């Protein structure tokens, strides 16, 4: 079973900042928090990964509180092309990469 | 382009056919995976190979048979499939010590 809980769906508009929160109460010490994006009929694509505090790359930011029991993926100024399913996963090199149901993000003009 | 290539991209096969899906990666990774994604469902992990050795078989029916001849190639041999096996089959690779997985574009399989 996936070890994370995230909203089933979210809607937003172009140009807005979107924050998707993920709950992972049973995260293990060695687990990293990893987010993937998937478009229809394509394989998931890695977005960002973090262990604690904040991580930022050219695509997104990942905020992780001190207790690591949740995380928030932040997408700045979304566009229509950001419409996709976003998966939050927690795993380490010693555990399986298990996907949950993800969050279906719809961006409107 | 993720560095993971799957062929064919689309496959239609009858229930009595035998076919194989191929996955190739040139990323120097030492772990490879097969996932199945049925319509509007999450990805299901099927098999995991680390350093060419199978380390995970997630209760997959024997009509699916994986093969990993080397760290760069992974096959999924299919025989006597059922219509409910129709799905998107995804291959992924990663470093065993690096938790970022790279996925191929998938093979859309239809069993008729």
């Amino acid at each position: 079973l996936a070890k994370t809980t995230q909203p089933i769906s979210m809607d937003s508009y172009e140009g807005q900042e979107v924050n998707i929160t993920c709950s992972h109460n049973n995260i293990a010490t060695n687990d990293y928090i990893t987010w993937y994006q998937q478009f229809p009929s394509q394989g998931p694509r890695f977005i960002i990964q973090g262990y604690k505090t904040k991580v930022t790359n050219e695509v997104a930011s990942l905020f992780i509180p001190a207790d690591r029991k949740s995380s928030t993926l932040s997408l700045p100024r979304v566009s229509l092309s950001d419409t996709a399913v976003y998966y939050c996963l927690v795993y380490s090199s010693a555990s399986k990469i298990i996907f949950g149901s993800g969050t279906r993000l719809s961006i409107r003009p | 382009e993720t560095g993971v290539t799957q062929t064919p991209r689309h496959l239609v096969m009858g229930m009595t056919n035998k076919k194989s899906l191929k996955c190739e990666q040139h990323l120097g990774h030492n772990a490879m995976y097969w996932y199945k994604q049925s319509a509007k469902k999450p990805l299901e992990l099927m098999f995991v190979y680390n350093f060419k050795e199978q380390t995970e078989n997630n209760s997959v029916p024997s009509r699916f048979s994986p093969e990993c001849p080397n760290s760069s190639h992974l096959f999924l041999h299919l025989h006597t499939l059922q219509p409910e096996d129709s799905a998107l089959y995804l291959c992924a690779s990663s470093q065993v010590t690096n938790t970022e997985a790279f996925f191929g574009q998938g093979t859309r399989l239809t069993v008729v």
Side-chain angles (χ1 to χ4, degrees):
Chain A
L1 294 177
K3 299 187 285 185
T4 62
T5 302
Q6 51 185 123
I8 294 174
S9 64
M10 293 182 65
D11 296 321
S12 188
Y13 293 91
E14 282 191 294
Q16 299 295 305
E17 177 184 80
V18 172
N19 296 310
I20 307 175
T21 298
C22 179
S23 171
H24 28 80
N25 291 318
N26 297 318
I27 188 168
T29 303
N30 294 333
D31 285 342
Y32 279 73
I33 299 156
T34 311
W35 286 80
Y36 289 84
Q37 174 194 57
Q38 186 181 26
F39 298 112
S41 297
Q42 293 187 25
R45 182 177 72 103
F46 171 88
I47 300 176
I48 197 166
Q49 182 182 80
Y51 185 81
K52 61 181 180 180
T53 63
K54 177 184 175 182
V55 179
T56 297
N57 61 23
E58 64 277 6
V59 177
S61 294
L62 179 59
F63 298 92
I64 305 167
D67 66 4
R68 303 203 326 123
K69 294 183 182 299
S70 67
S71 59
T72 299
L73 175 72
S74 181
L75 304 173
R77 297 181 298 281
V78 293
S79 64
L80 295 177
S81 62
D82 291 315
T83 294
V85 179
Y86 291 81
Y87 297 95
C88 166
L89 291 80
V90 293
Y91 59 88
S92 69
S93 59
S95 59
K96 296 181 258 188
I97 304 176
I98 303 296
F99 284 76
S101 299
T103 296
R104 189 171 299 275
L105 176 65
S106 298
I107 306 300
R108 302 175 182 178
Chain B
E1 180 58 53
T2 64
V4 180
T5 304
Q6 290 187 243
T7 53
R9 291 293 308 278
H10 301 272
L11 178 63
V12 179
M13 61 184 289
M15 290 188 284
T16 59
N17 291 159
K18 290 184 179 180
K19 296 287 184 182
S20 296
L21 309 184
K22 179 182 177 181
C23 176
E24 187 173 358
Q25 58 94 4
H26 297 290
L27 301 169
H29 290 165
N30 42 38
M32 297 189 77
Y33 315 79
W34 280 117
Y35 286 84
K36 173 187 177 183
Q37 188 171 33
S38 303
K40 304 202 175 179
K41 289 187 177 180
L43 284 78
E44 301 173 46
L45 180 63
M46 300 175 73
F47 301 103
V48 180
Y49 278 82
N50 289 335
F51 297 100
K52 301 187 298 179
E53 297 297 320
Q54 187 180 127
T55 57
E56 183 73 27
N57 177 337
N58 203 23
S59 302
V60 180
S62 59
R63 58 186 184 269
F64 296 91
S65 175
E67 178 189 3
C68 188
N70 54 61
S71 294
S72 300
H73 294 85
L74 184 65
F75 295 89
L76 188 62
H77 303 300
L78 316 171
H79 64 95
T80 51
L81 295 191
Q82 304 298 311
E84 58 265 29
D85 296 321
S86 299
L88 181 68
Y89 288 84
L90 291 158
C91 172
S93 71
S94 72
Q95 291 287 33
V96 173
T97 56
N98 179 333
T99 56
E100 176 184 346
F102 292 76
F103 283 81
Q105 293 283 67
T107 295
R108 173 69 62 188
L109 174 67
T110 303
V111 181
V112 297

